[in-house]
Amino acid sequence: MTTPYEPVVETARAYYNSEDADTFYAEIWGGEDIHIGIYARPDEPIADASRRTVERLADLLGAVPADDRILDIGSGFGGAARYLARRFGAEVVALNLSERENERCEALNAAAGLAHLIDVVDGSFEDIPLADGSVDVVWSQDAILHSGRRDRVVAEVSRVLKPGGRFVLTDIMASGRCGPEALAPVLARIHLDTLGSVPFYQQAGETNGLALTGWYDLSAELPVHYARVAAELDARREALASRVSAAYIDRMLAGLNHWVDAGRNGCLTWGMLEFRKRG
């Protein structure tokens, strides 16, 4: 790929293109979804809890006509794209900046018999390579936090949405209850200076013609999820040793524990937001 990216976007792209990260997310997260799960019990399989999040977010959309077009920004391995294509029969554009993840996504789409419904596109959600007003739904799960220009992402989402179109997302956000020092370890992990917040998304939406129609606070799931991932990684450390570097595992365990601490201390918010485009 020759498209130049902002430094923070290129950092995220390089990370998700790495063999260590690809193997970690495929093996520990289950190879379908890369986002926070909603847990029936703390020791539930990560893949099951992660899929429940997809199902709950899709429920917000209600009935989606088969001739609608859905855009998933930051689509990862494409688990949500496959779920949406299967559930609604609609065309899904899976936009993601990791070529390695996109290759895995395309292989999984083909294996599921869904390649005809899912268009996998290399690219950044800071500059969505689609025409104005060309999609009915924009979907995103725990991806926009990686942008240093979240206002730009919201503007791009609004640009590609048709009037009356919907934007549903989950994201890890600052709660506003903690100072910068409390968030420093998690921000260092993602190489950014800030996180979004519910007020940020509401204001950015208003600025770009998107009305916030729902906010569902599920913050309690965040520390449960990261603790579950840390426990699974630690338990499978020896089995992964030949495919994931010890340095990566050490850094990941430290980072996961920072997320757990920040979540338990009330510094982070996570949940589902839904918007509708005016017009």
PDB file of all heavy atoms in Angstrom, residues 3 20-21 44 76 85 109 118 121 130 135 155 166 190 209 228 238 246 248 263-264 268 273:
ATOM      1  N   THR A   3      -0.623   4.490   0.101  1.00  0.00           N
ATOM      2  CA  THR A   3      -1.332   5.642   0.668  1.00  0.00           C
ATOM      3  C   THR A   3      -0.638   6.104   1.943  1.00  0.00           C
ATOM      4  O   THR A   3      -0.433   5.319   2.863  1.00  0.00           O
ATOM      5  CB  THR A   3      -2.787   5.263   0.985  1.00  0.00           C
ATOM      6  OG1 THR A   3      -3.406   4.794  -0.203  1.00  0.00           O
ATOM      7  CG2 THR A   3      -3.544   6.450   1.529  1.00  0.00           C
ATOM      8  N   ASP A  20       3.039 -11.081  15.635  1.00  0.00           N
ATOM      9  CA  ASP A  20       2.679 -11.265  17.043  1.00  0.00           C
ATOM     10  C   ASP A  20       1.223 -10.875  17.293  1.00  0.00           C
ATOM     11  O   ASP A  20       0.459 -11.629  17.909  1.00  0.00           O
ATOM     12  CB  ASP A  20       3.582 -10.402  17.940  1.00  0.00           C
ATOM     13  CG  ASP A  20       4.939 -11.041  18.209  1.00  0.00           C
ATOM     14  OD1 ASP A  20       5.095 -12.255  17.972  1.00  0.00           O
ATOM     15  OD2 ASP A  20       5.841 -10.314  18.656  1.00  0.00           O
ATOM     16  N   ALA A  21       0.835  -9.690  16.835  1.00  0.00           N
ATOM     17  CA  ALA A  21      -0.531  -9.217  17.080  1.00  0.00           C
ATOM     18  C   ALA A  21      -1.542 -10.091  16.356  1.00  0.00           C
ATOM     19  O   ALA A  21      -2.590 -10.446  16.919  1.00  0.00           O
ATOM     20  CB  ALA A  21      -0.670  -7.760  16.648  1.00  0.00           C
ATOM     21  N   GLU A  44     -16.471 -16.994  30.968  1.00  0.00           N
ATOM     22  CA  GLU A  44     -17.030 -17.373  29.672  1.00  0.00           C
ATOM     23  C   GLU A  44     -15.968 -17.262  28.587  1.00  0.00           C
ATOM     24  O   GLU A  44     -15.104 -16.368  28.639  1.00  0.00           O
ATOM     25  CB  GLU A  44     -18.203 -16.460  29.339  1.00  0.00           C
ATOM     26  CG  GLU A  44     -18.925 -16.824  28.051  1.00  0.00           C
ATOM     27  CD  GLU A  44     -20.154 -15.961  27.818  1.00  0.00           C
ATOM     28  OE1 GLU A  44     -20.237 -14.864  28.390  1.00  0.00           O
ATOM     29  OE2 GLU A  44     -21.023 -16.399  27.044  1.00  0.00           O
ATOM     30  N   GLY A  76     -11.314  -5.252  11.299  1.00  0.00           N
ATOM     31  CA  GLY A  76     -10.518  -6.339  11.863  1.00  0.00           C
ATOM     32  C   GLY A  76     -10.591  -7.609  11.035  1.00  0.00           C
ATOM     33  O   GLY A  76     -10.424  -7.595   9.819  1.00  0.00           O
ATOM     34  N   ALA A  85     -23.840  -9.596   7.283  1.00  0.00           N
ATOM     35  CA  ALA A  85     -24.195 -10.114   5.963  1.00  0.00           C
ATOM     36  C   ALA A  85     -25.121 -11.322   6.087  1.00  0.00           C
ATOM     37  O   ALA A  85     -26.108 -11.452   5.347  1.00  0.00           O
ATOM     38  CB  ALA A  85     -22.934 -10.482   5.186  1.00  0.00           C
ATOM     39  N   ASN A 109     -14.299 -14.994   4.914  1.00  0.00           N
ATOM     40  CA  ASN A 109     -15.514 -14.704   4.155  1.00  0.00           C
ATOM     41  C   ASN A 109     -15.782 -15.800   3.125  1.00  0.00           C
ATOM     42  O   ASN A 109     -16.924 -16.262   2.966  1.00  0.00           O
ATOM     43  CB  ASN A 109     -15.395 -13.357   3.433  1.00  0.00           C
ATOM     44  CG  ASN A 109     -15.273 -12.180   4.379  1.00  0.00           C
ATOM     45  OD1 ASN A 109     -15.563 -12.289   5.566  1.00  0.00           O
ATOM     46  ND2 ASN A 109     -14.832 -11.050   3.849  1.00  0.00           N
ATOM     47  N   ILE A 118     -19.534  -9.324   0.904  1.00  0.00           N
ATOM     48  CA  ILE A 118     -18.602  -8.511   1.685  1.00  0.00           C
ATOM     49  C   ILE A 118     -17.454  -8.043   0.807  1.00  0.00           C
ATOM     50  O   ILE A 118     -16.721  -8.843   0.226  1.00  0.00           O
ATOM     51  CB  ILE A 118     -18.061  -9.302   2.896  1.00  0.00           C
ATOM     52  CG1 ILE A 118     -19.213  -9.799   3.773  1.00  0.00           C
ATOM     53  CG2 ILE A 118     -17.102  -8.432   3.709  1.00  0.00           C
ATOM     54  CD1 ILE A 118     -18.788 -10.756   4.871  1.00  0.00           C
ATOM     55  N   VAL A 121     -11.930  -3.705   2.016  1.00  0.00           N
ATOM     56  CA  VAL A 121     -11.226  -2.552   1.467  1.00  0.00           C
ATOM     57  C   VAL A 121     -10.088  -2.144   2.395  1.00  0.00           C
ATOM     58  O   VAL A 121     -10.297  -1.952   3.598  1.00  0.00           O
ATOM     59  CB  VAL A 121     -12.194  -1.355   1.285  1.00  0.00           C
ATOM     60  CG1 VAL A 121     -11.442  -0.123   0.794  1.00  0.00           C
ATOM     61  CG2 VAL A 121     -13.318  -1.728   0.324  1.00  0.00           C
ATOM     62  N   LEU A 130     -15.145   6.066  -0.015  1.00  0.00           N
ATOM     63  CA  LEU A 130     -16.473   5.848  -0.571  1.00  0.00           C
ATOM     64  C   LEU A 130     -17.110   7.185  -0.908  1.00  0.00           C
ATOM     65  O   LEU A 130     -16.739   8.230  -0.349  1.00  0.00           O
ATOM     66  CB  LEU A 130     -17.362   5.094   0.426  1.00  0.00           C
ATOM     67  CG  LEU A 130     -16.939   3.676   0.837  1.00  0.00           C
ATOM     68  CD1 LEU A 130     -17.916   3.109   1.851  1.00  0.00           C
ATOM     69  CD2 LEU A 130     -16.819   2.757  -0.372  1.00  0.00           C
ATOM     70  N   VAL A 135     -23.914   4.959   1.800  1.00  0.00           N
ATOM     71  CA  VAL A 135     -24.210   3.833   2.686  1.00  0.00           C
ATOM     72  C   VAL A 135     -25.401   4.162   3.585  1.00  0.00           C
ATOM     73  O   VAL A 135     -25.688   5.326   3.862  1.00  0.00           O
ATOM     74  CB  VAL A 135     -22.990   3.424   3.545  1.00  0.00           C
ATOM     75  CG1 VAL A 135     -21.833   2.998   2.671  1.00  0.00           C
ATOM     76  CG2 VAL A 135     -22.562   4.536   4.481  1.00  0.00           C
ATOM     77  N   ALA A 155     -16.893  13.143  10.981  1.00  0.00           N
ATOM     78  CA  ALA A 155     -17.247  13.895   9.779  1.00  0.00           C
ATOM     79  C   ALA A 155     -17.293  12.990   8.552  1.00  0.00           C
ATOM     80  O   ALA A 155     -18.186  13.108   7.696  1.00  0.00           O
ATOM     81  CB  ALA A 155     -16.256  15.037   9.564  1.00  0.00           C
ATOM     82  N   ARG A 166     -27.976   5.441   9.684  1.00  0.00           N
ATOM     83  CA  ARG A 166     -27.653   5.204  11.086  1.00  0.00           C
ATOM     84  C   ARG A 166     -26.176   4.879  11.284  1.00  0.00           C
ATOM     85  O   ARG A 166     -25.546   4.263  10.436  1.00  0.00           O
ATOM     86  CB  ARG A 166     -28.521   4.078  11.632  1.00  0.00           C
ATOM     87  CG  ARG A 166     -29.980   4.467  11.779  1.00  0.00           C
ATOM     88  CD  ARG A 166     -30.864   3.269  12.033  1.00  0.00           C
ATOM     89  NE  ARG A 166     -30.937   2.413  10.852  1.00  0.00           N
ATOM     90  CZ  ARG A 166     -31.525   1.212  10.844  1.00  0.00           C
ATOM     91  NH1 ARG A 166     -32.048   0.740  11.959  1.00  0.00           N
ATOM     92  NH2 ARG A 166     -31.576   0.503   9.736  1.00  0.00           N
ATOM     93  N   ILE A 190      -1.698   2.937  23.520  1.00  0.00           N
ATOM     94  CA  ILE A 190      -2.218   3.155  22.172  1.00  0.00           C
ATOM     95  C   ILE A 190      -1.557   4.347  21.481  1.00  0.00           C
ATOM     96  O   ILE A 190      -1.999   4.767  20.419  1.00  0.00           O
ATOM     97  CB  ILE A 190      -3.750   3.311  22.185  1.00  0.00           C
ATOM     98  CG1 ILE A 190      -4.199   4.448  23.117  1.00  0.00           C
ATOM     99  CG2 ILE A 190      -4.412   1.992  22.578  1.00  0.00           C
ATOM    100  CD1 ILE A 190      -5.688   4.715  23.088  1.00  0.00           C
ATOM    101  N   GLY A 209     -24.295  16.819  11.758  1.00  0.00           N
ATOM    102  CA  GLY A 209     -25.645  16.441  11.365  1.00  0.00           C
ATOM    103  C   GLY A 209     -26.085  15.067  11.818  1.00  0.00           C
ATOM    104  O   GLY A 209     -27.013  14.484  11.243  1.00  0.00           O
ATOM    105  N   ARG A 228     -10.289 -11.129  31.654  1.00  0.00           N
ATOM    106  CA  ARG A 228     -10.489 -12.446  31.032  1.00  0.00           C
ATOM    107  C   ARG A 228      -9.422 -12.696  29.965  1.00  0.00           C
ATOM    108  O   ARG A 228      -8.866 -13.795  29.869  1.00  0.00           O
ATOM    109  CB  ARG A 228     -11.887 -12.488  30.412  1.00  0.00           C
ATOM    110  CG  ARG A 228     -12.244 -13.819  29.766  1.00  0.00           C
ATOM    111  CD  ARG A 228     -12.468 -14.896  30.811  1.00  0.00           C
ATOM    112  NE  ARG A 228     -12.682 -16.182  30.196  1.00  0.00           N
ATOM    113  CZ  ARG A 228     -11.700 -17.001  29.808  1.00  0.00           C
ATOM    114  NH1 ARG A 228     -10.411 -16.658  29.993  1.00  0.00           N
ATOM    115  NH2 ARG A 228     -11.979 -18.156  29.265  1.00  0.00           N
ATOM    116  N   GLU A 238       2.769 -20.635  27.343  1.00  0.00           N
ATOM    117  CA  GLU A 238       3.715 -21.656  26.894  1.00  0.00           C
ATOM    118  C   GLU A 238       3.333 -22.192  25.516  1.00  0.00           C
ATOM    119  O   GLU A 238       4.182 -22.396  24.647  1.00  0.00           O
ATOM    120  CB  GLU A 238       3.780 -22.790  27.912  1.00  0.00           C
ATOM    121  CG  GLU A 238       4.825 -23.839  27.593  1.00  0.00           C
ATOM    122  CD  GLU A 238       4.974 -24.867  28.706  1.00  0.00           C
ATOM    123  OE1 GLU A 238       4.565 -24.580  29.853  1.00  0.00           O
ATOM    124  OE2 GLU A 238       5.492 -25.956  28.413  1.00  0.00           O
ATOM    125  N   ALA A 246       8.082 -13.549  23.479  1.00  0.00           N
ATOM    126  CA  ALA A 246       7.936 -13.349  24.922  1.00  0.00           C
ATOM    127  C   ALA A 246       7.795 -11.864  25.250  1.00  0.00           C
ATOM    128  O   ALA A 246       7.027 -11.480  26.142  1.00  0.00           O
ATOM    129  CB  ALA A 246       9.132 -13.951  25.654  1.00  0.00           C
ATOM    130  N   TYR A 248       6.416  -9.538  23.405  1.00  0.00           N
ATOM    131  CA  TYR A 248       5.054  -9.109  23.091  1.00  0.00           C
ATOM    132  C   TYR A 248       4.090  -9.547  24.182  1.00  0.00           C
ATOM    133  O   TYR A 248       3.232  -8.765  24.626  1.00  0.00           O
ATOM    134  CB  TYR A 248       4.616  -9.691  21.745  1.00  0.00           C
ATOM    135  CG  TYR A 248       3.192  -9.322  21.379  1.00  0.00           C
ATOM    136  CD1 TYR A 248       2.914  -8.176  20.654  1.00  0.00           C
ATOM    137  CD2 TYR A 248       2.113 -10.121  21.776  1.00  0.00           C
ATOM    138  CE1 TYR A 248       1.610  -7.826  20.320  1.00  0.00           C
ATOM    139  CE2 TYR A 248       0.807  -9.777  21.461  1.00  0.00           C
ATOM    140  CZ  TYR A 248       0.561  -8.626  20.733  1.00  0.00           C
ATOM    141  OH  TYR A 248      -0.735  -8.283  20.431  1.00  0.00           O
ATOM    142  N   GLY A 263     -10.384   0.622  34.287  1.00  0.00           N
ATOM    143  CA  GLY A 263     -11.810   0.313  34.275  1.00  0.00           C
ATOM    144  C   GLY A 263     -12.381   0.167  35.672  1.00  0.00           C
ATOM    145  O   GLY A 263     -13.451   0.712  35.986  1.00  0.00           O
ATOM    146  N   ARG A 264     -11.672  -0.539  36.520  1.00  0.00           N
ATOM    147  CA  ARG A 264     -12.150  -0.742  37.890  1.00  0.00           C
ATOM    148  C   ARG A 264     -12.153   0.552  38.694  1.00  0.00           C
ATOM    149  O   ARG A 264     -12.983   0.720  39.599  1.00  0.00           O
ATOM    150  CB  ARG A 264     -11.281  -1.790  38.584  1.00  0.00           C
ATOM    151  CG  ARG A 264     -11.522  -3.211  38.073  1.00  0.00           C
ATOM    152  CD  ARG A 264     -10.569  -4.209  38.696  1.00  0.00           C
ATOM    153  NE  ARG A 264     -10.869  -5.577  38.259  1.00  0.00           N
ATOM    154  CZ  ARG A 264     -10.083  -6.622  38.468  1.00  0.00           C
ATOM    155  NH1 ARG A 264      -8.916  -6.459  39.122  1.00  0.00           N
ATOM    156  NH2 ARG A 264     -10.425  -7.817  38.040  1.00  0.00           N
ATOM    157  N   LEU A 268     -12.594   4.776  32.863  1.00  0.00           N
ATOM    158  CA  LEU A 268     -12.971   4.474  31.492  1.00  0.00           C
ATOM    159  C   LEU A 268     -14.463   4.182  31.390  1.00  0.00           C
ATOM    160  O   LEU A 268     -15.076   3.658  32.327  1.00  0.00           O
ATOM    161  CB  LEU A 268     -12.187   3.270  30.969  1.00  0.00           C
ATOM    162  CG  LEU A 268     -10.668   3.431  30.879  1.00  0.00           C
ATOM    163  CD1 LEU A 268     -10.026   2.111  30.479  1.00  0.00           C
ATOM    164  CD2 LEU A 268     -10.296   4.528  29.889  1.00  0.00           C
ATOM    165  N   LEU A 273     -23.333   3.428  21.350  1.00  0.00           N
ATOM    166  CA  LEU A 273     -23.952   4.681  20.946  1.00  0.00           C
ATOM    167  C   LEU A 273     -24.634   4.484  19.601  1.00  0.00           C
ATOM    168  O   LEU A 273     -24.124   3.744  18.743  1.00  0.00           O
ATOM    169  CB  LEU A 273     -22.922   5.799  20.819  1.00  0.00           C
ATOM    170  CG  LEU A 273     -22.135   6.177  22.070  1.00  0.00           C
ATOM    171  CD1 LEU A 273     -20.710   5.638  21.961  1.00  0.00           C
ATOM    172  CD2 LEU A 273     -22.109   7.685  22.269  1.00  0.00           C
TER     173      LEU A 273
END
